[in-house]
Amino acid sequence: MTEPIIKIAHVHKSYGRLKAVNDLNFFVEPSTCFGLLGPNGAGKTTMMKMIYGMARRDSDPPGTIQVFGFDPDTHELDVKFLSGVVPQENNLDEELNVWQNLHVYSKFYGMHRSEVDPRIDELLELFELSEKKKSKIRELSGGMKRRLVMARALLHTPRLLILDEPTTGLDPQVRHLIWGKLRQLMKEGLTILLTTHYMEEAFQLCDTILIMDKGQKVLEGSPQTLLTENIESYVLEIYSNEAAQAARSIGEIKGIRLDDTLERPFIYCQNLESLQTYAKQLGKGGYHIRQSNLEDLFLKLTGRELNADQ
C-alpha cells in the first residue's frame, strides 16, 4: 500500500485566544488533489502554512505533521525542496521579465545551469506563456501572472504542489485553462493540496474534500459522495421578492426543506417532480430549479456564504 504524502494527526494552532486549527486530522494520497474548503478564518491557510514550514503548530498538545515523512518544524528545507507553493498573492519581481523571474528562482534550488533553460521553456509552453518570455511583469494580465507563479512553483519539479486560492479573481476561461494543466500534472504523478473559494474548482479538481469551520473538520470525502450522502439532489433557487414571499407563506411540506438563512430562500428536495409541483405555487418566474452542488452543501454545513468575514 502506498504511503500518504501528507499525514496530519491531532494538530492544533492558536493565536492568543483564537483557536485557528483545532484537533485536525487528515492524510493526502500520492497523485491526488486534496481540497481544504471553508469560510474565511476557518483555518485553511494556517494549516497550509504549518505543512510547508511557515508556521509552527502548538506544542501542547504536540500533534503530528509529516510531509514525505519529514516534520516541517524540524526539516523545513527538506519539505520545501520536495514542494512547490503558490501563495494567495502574486509575489513576482516587477523589475524582471518573465524568463528572469524563473531563472532567479532556480538558484534557490541549486539547479544546474544546463537544466534550467530547458525547464523554463517547458513550463512556459505548458502554461502558454512562451510568447511572453521577454515581457516585463507589469505588462502581463492577471491570468498570465497567476500562470507564471504556478510555473515558478513547478520549476524544480516538486512532488507536491500547494495551491492557496490559485484562481481567485480570474475569468472563467483562464480558470478552466489552469484546471486542465493541473489535471495533466496529476496524471504525471504530482500531488496537489488546494484551498479554494470556488466550489466548482473543488468539484472539478479534488479527489477528496475536507470542509472546515472554526478550525475543525466538519465533513470529509469525495465531492460526489459528499453531495449524495449529505444534501438533497435538487434545489429551487429564488431570486424575486414575490416568489420569496410566496415560499415563506407556504409553510412546511413533507419532503421539502426550506432554507431561509440567506437574503433569498432556497428550497431543497430529493424528488424533482415534487419540487416542480411546489414551484407552481410560487406564481410565474422569479426562480429556477437546478441540481444541488457543493456550494449548497457548504451553506448547509456552515450556514453562511463562502466568502463571509469571520
Side-chain angles (χ1 to χ4, degrees), residues 230-232 234-238 243-244 247-248 251-253 255-269 275 278 290 295-305:
N230 295 281
I231 196 165
E232 298 87 346
Y234 301 97
V235 57
L236 189 155
E237 186 171 344
I238 292 175
R248 292 180 179 121
E252 294 186 9
I253 298 177
I256 301 287
R257 178 171 66 89
L258 172 65
D259 184 342
D260 201 11
T261 57
L262 301 178
E263 183 180 355
R264 297 282 185 265
F266 288 69
I267 295 87
Y268 294 90
C269 186
L275 200 56
Y278 179 96
R290 58 172 173 79
E295 188 157 345
D296 297 307
L297 176 60
F298 183 92
L299 292 171
K300 179 183 178 182
L301 294 173
T302 66
R304 55 187 165 273
E305 294 184 18

Side-chain angles (χ1 to χ4, degrees), residues 40 49 68 102 105 110 138 178 187 210 257 273 280:
N40 289 335
K49 288 181 177 179
F68 299 104
L102 297 179
Y105 202 73
R138 63 176 66 94
I178 290 174
K187 289 180 180 178
L210 187 153
R257 178 171 66 89
E273 292 183 1
K280 292 177 181 179

Side-chain angles (χ1 to χ4, degrees), residues 216-234:
Q216 295 180 305
K217 176 166 68 175
V218 178
L219 209 60
E220 182 180 357
S222 71
Q224 190 57 60
T225 299
L226 292 182
L227 285 176
T228 301
E229 295 182 353
N230 295 281
I231 196 165
E232 298 87 346
S233 297
Y234 301 97

Side-chain angles (χ1 to χ4, degrees), residues 154-201:
L154 293 165
L155 189 61
H156 60 297
T157 318
R159 293 167 56 192
L160 171 67
L161 182 62
I162 298 173
L163 303 173
D164 197 356
E165 299 181 26
T167 64
T168 297
L170 301 184
D171 62 60
Q173 185 179 16
V174 176
R175 197 176 302 141
H176 279 270
L177 172 64
I178 290 174
W179 294 349
K181 303 304 181 185
L182 294 176
R183 290 191 197 98
Q184 178 181 337
L185 292 166
M186 280 193 289
K187 289 180 180 178
E188 296 171 3
L190 184 69
T191 303
I192 295 176
L193 180 64
L194 168 75
T195 71
T196 180
H197 277 176
Y198 292 116
M199 295 292 99
E200 178 64 14
E201 182 163 80

Side-chain angles (χ1 to χ4, degrees), residues 14-287:
S14 300
Y15 295 99
R17 294 182 178 181
L18 174 64
K19 196 75 170 179
V21 175
N22 188 3
D23 197 23
L24 202 58
N25 301 269
F26 65 88
F27 60 87
V28 179
E29 297 284 3
S31 302
T32 64
C33 180
F34 188 98
L36 292 173
L37 308 184
N40 289 335
K44 308 181 302 297
T45 296
T46 298
M47 189 66 250
M48 290 279 215
K49 288 181 177 179
M50 288 190 285
I51 287 171
Y52 60 82
M54 292 296 292
R56 294 196 170 217
R57 63 190 181 275
D58 292 349
S59 57
D60 183 21
T64 299
I65 300 178
Q66 286 191 343
V67 186
F68 299 104
F70 296 109
D71 184 334
D73 279 3
T74 55
H75 293 81
E76 179 183 347
L77 292 181
D78 294 290
V79 172
K80 287 184 175 180
F81 187 79
L82 294 167
S83 307
V85 179
V86 176
Q88 287 185 23
E89 302 295 332
N90 296 332
N91 52 0
L92 299 164
D93 192 324
E94 297 280 341
E95 300 304 316
L96 302 180
N97 65 28
V98 168
W99 185 88
Q100 289 168 336
N101 264 272
L102 297 179
H103 190 269
V104 167
Y105 202 73
S106 71
K107 297 182 182 297
F108 297 136
Y109 290 93
M111 297 175 66
H112 195 274
R113 189 168 184 176
S114 62
E115 66 177 325
V116 173
D117 285 2
R119 181 60 175 163
I120 290 176
D121 289 340
E122 177 187 354
L123 289 168
L124 292 180
E125 182 177 356
L126 174 67
F127 285 100
E128 302 184 18
L129 292 169
S130 297
E131 294 182 359
K132 299 294 182 179
K133 187 174 182 177
K134 298 301 181 181
S135 299
K136 288 291 184 68
I137 299 305
R138 63 176 66 94
E139 298 171 0
L140 303 181
S141 67
M144 290 176 182
K145 290 178 182 179
R146 206 62 184 145
R147 282 180 274 156
L148 181 58
V149 172
M150 290 189 186
R152 188 186 63 184
L154 293 165
L155 189 61
H156 60 297
T157 318
R159 293 167 56 192
L160 171 67
L161 182 62
I162 298 173
L163 303 173
D164 197 356
E165 299 181 26
T167 64
T168 297
L170 301 184
D171 62 60
Q173 185 179 16
V174 176
R175 197 176 302 141
H176 279 270
L177 172 64
I178 290 174
W179 294 349
K181 303 304 181 185
L182 294 176
R183 290 191 197 98
Q184 178 181 337
L185 292 166
M186 280 193 289
K187 289 180 180 178
E188 296 171 3
L190 184 69
T191 303
I192 295 176
L193 180 64
L194 168 75
T195 71
T196 180
H197 277 176
Y198 292 116
M199 295 292 99
E200 178 64 14
E201 182 163 80
F203 192 85
Q204 290 282 343
L205 291 178
C206 293
D207 299 284
T208 304
I209 288 171
L210 187 153
I211 298 177
M212 298 177 62
D213 193 19
K214 299 177 182 177
Q216 295 180 305
K217 176 166 68 175
V218 178
L219 209 60
E220 182 180 357
S222 71
Q224 190 57 60
T225 299
L226 292 182
L227 285 176
T228 301
E229 295 182 353
N230 295 281
I231 196 165
E232 298 87 346
S233 297
Y234 301 97
V235 57
L236 189 155
E237 186 171 344
I238 292 175
Y239 48 86
S240 77
N241 290 330
E242 293 77 13
Q245 185 176 357
R248 292 180 179 121
S249 66
I250 290 173
E252 294 186 9
I253 298 177
K254 185 177 181 181
I256 301 287
R257 178 171 66 89
L258 172 65
D259 184 342
D260 201 11
T261 57
L262 301 178
E263 183 180 355
R264 297 282 185 265
F266 288 69
I267 295 87
Y268 294 90
C269 186
Q270 190 64 30
N271 184 277
L272 178 58
E273 292 183 1
S274 297
L275 200 56
Q276 290 171 333
T277 300
Y278 179 96
K280 292 177 181 179
Q281 303 178 67
L282 303 180
K284 294 182 179 180
Y287 60 86

